[in-house]
Amino acid sequence: MALELPRTTEHLIRDRVKFRVGRIVYVALSRDETVMGFAFPREERAALVASDPEKFLMPEPSDERFNWVQARLAELDAGELAEIVTEAWRMVVPKRVAAAHLGG
């Protein structure tokens, strides 16, 4: 799904699959592929986690300084996953690239 988004490349870093635009990672999978970290506004992540703590997790302490949050993949349906990946991608690409791809 992520590879269909413009400028996205896939990388294997320390046994973890990561998707990025340039040098900026916007989605990363845990080694066991049960948790996905993704770009998300730092000021909104506490509210997201509080809204559904079974689904969403705060980032690892080493990632708290970034615009990042995590989700349990088993708790996401296909539509939610697509929306999360697309919105994370939108955070890291130029607005004109997102507009051209998403139509507006």
Side-chain angles (χ1 to χ4, degrees), residues 47-92:
L48 177 68
V49 172
S51 74
D52 195 340
E54 295 298 315
K55 188 180 294 186
F56 299 106
L57 309 157
M58 290 297 285
E60 298 295 324
S62 61
D63 290 331
E64 286 181 353
R65 63 191 168 134
F66 300 112
N67 289 317
W68 200 252
V69 75
Q70 299 182 81
R72 291 180 180 91
L73 285 171
E75 300 295 321
L76 299 175
D77 64 36
E80 287 175 307
L81 181 60
E83 181 180 353
I84 287 169
V85 170
T86 302
E87 289 304 312
W89 169 81
R90 281 172 51 126
M91 286 185 67
V92 301

